[in-house]
């Protein structure tokens, strides 16, 4: 895509009210994170996903267990706090709402927030209702292929917006942990890694909630 085509594509999404303020369209998929990219063996035998905290029964799913969970596909626009937005990205994975609806996870009534734990101690926090929305996914595939190591293989959280309701309940892309290893259900909120380091806790791209102003 040359610069002219990029501007043209940006104009179109803007006219469709899909480009949040201060953002620009990219065709690329930038890689952003703190720390090293984890390496796993081909069979992922050392990998698991834990669900702990305020749930009726804590679980630990192996990669084989993950394959048996119900799956969803969706197409969303994603918005990075560093000012790029990427449109019509296609993801496949597991919906937290479905896991709860189908009894794979039963949160206790006191649970109000969920912390996503990534590899190497990375965390990000969201209200439980935000993670039940259909624009939040525990994603394993991007554009039909397993997510690459740089982007969070084998499992990451993603949050974005749908073309036909672009402003509803979305957050900047950092609210999805790459290399996710655990979901922690809590009563009280607890700031995640970037949230402690100056990013806004709510992170609504339509409100430009980029930084907290606490620093
Ligand atoms: N584990 C982990 N997940 C992370 C981060 C990180 O540092 N570690 N950074 C977040 C940030 S700030 C962004 S913008 C997105 C970037 O995702 P991408 O590299 O796939 O574009 O991942 C988020 N998830
Ligand atoms: Mo970011």
């Amino acid at each position: 895509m040359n610069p002219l085509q990029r501007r043209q594509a940006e104009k179109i999404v803007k006219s469709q009210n899909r480009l949040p303020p201060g953002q620009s369209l990219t065709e690329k998929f930038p890689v952003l994170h703190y720390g090293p990219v984890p390496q796993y063996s081909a069979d992922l035998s050392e990998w698991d996903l834990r669900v702990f905290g305020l749930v009726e029964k804590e679980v630990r799913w192996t990669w084989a267990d993950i394959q048996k969970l119900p799956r969803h596909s969706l197409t969303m626009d994603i918005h990075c706090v560093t000012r790029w937005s990427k449109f019509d990205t296609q993801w496949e994975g597991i919906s937290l709402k479905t896991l709860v609806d189908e009894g794979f996870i039963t949160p206790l009534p006191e649970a109000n927030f969920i912390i996503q734990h990534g590899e190497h101690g990375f965390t990000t926090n969201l209200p439980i209702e935000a993670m039940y929305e259909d624009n939040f996914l525990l994603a394993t595939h991007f554009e039909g292929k397993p997510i690459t190591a740089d982007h969070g293989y084998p499992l990451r959280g993603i949050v974005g917006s749908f073309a036909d309701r672009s402003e509803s309940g979305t957050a900047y892309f950092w609210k999805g942990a790459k290399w996710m290893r655990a979901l922690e259900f809590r009563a009280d909120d607890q700031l995640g890694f970037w949230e402690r380091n100056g990013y806004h806790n709510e992170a609504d791209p339509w409100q430009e909630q980029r930084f907290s102003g606490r620093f």
Side-chain angles (χ1 to χ4, degrees), residues 29-35 78 80-82 84 91 117-119 122-124 150-152 156-157 173-180 193-194 199:
F29 195 173
V31 171
L32 291 149
H33 55 261
Y34 178 80
I78 55 180
C80 180
V81 69
T82 61
W84 55 266
W91 302 88
H117 291 260
E119 209 69 66
F122 179 84
T123 53
T124 186
D150 279 357
H151 287 294
R156 73 171 297 173
F173 200 46
W174 92 76
K175 289 281 188 181
K178 307 204 280 193
W179 313 296
M180 188 191 285
F193 175 81
W194 291 113
Y199 283 16

Side-chain angles (χ1 to χ4, degrees), residues 140-209:
T140 59
H141 287 67
F142 172 68
E143 312 287 351
K145 295 192 203 92
I147 292 172
T148 60
D150 279 357
H151 287 294
Y153 175 84
L155 182 82
R156 73 171 297 173
I158 57 154
V159 58
S161 39
F162 294 107
D164 59 350
R165 45 192 168 99
S166 55
E167 294 188 46
S168 96
T170 188
Y172 286 118
F173 200 46
W174 92 76
K175 289 281 188 181
K178 307 204 280 193
W179 313 296
M180 188 191 285
R181 292 296 302 275
L183 293 172
E184 176 187 359
F185 287 67
R186 302 174 56 95
D188 58 318
D189 201 6
Q190 184 182 63
L191 297 182
F193 175 81
W194 291 113
E195 292 82 358
R196 280 196 307 277
N197 285 284
Y199 283 16
H200 198 288
N201 196 27
E202 272 96 280
D204 180 352
W206 293 92
Q207 311 282 332
E208 286 208 78
Q209 292 174 333

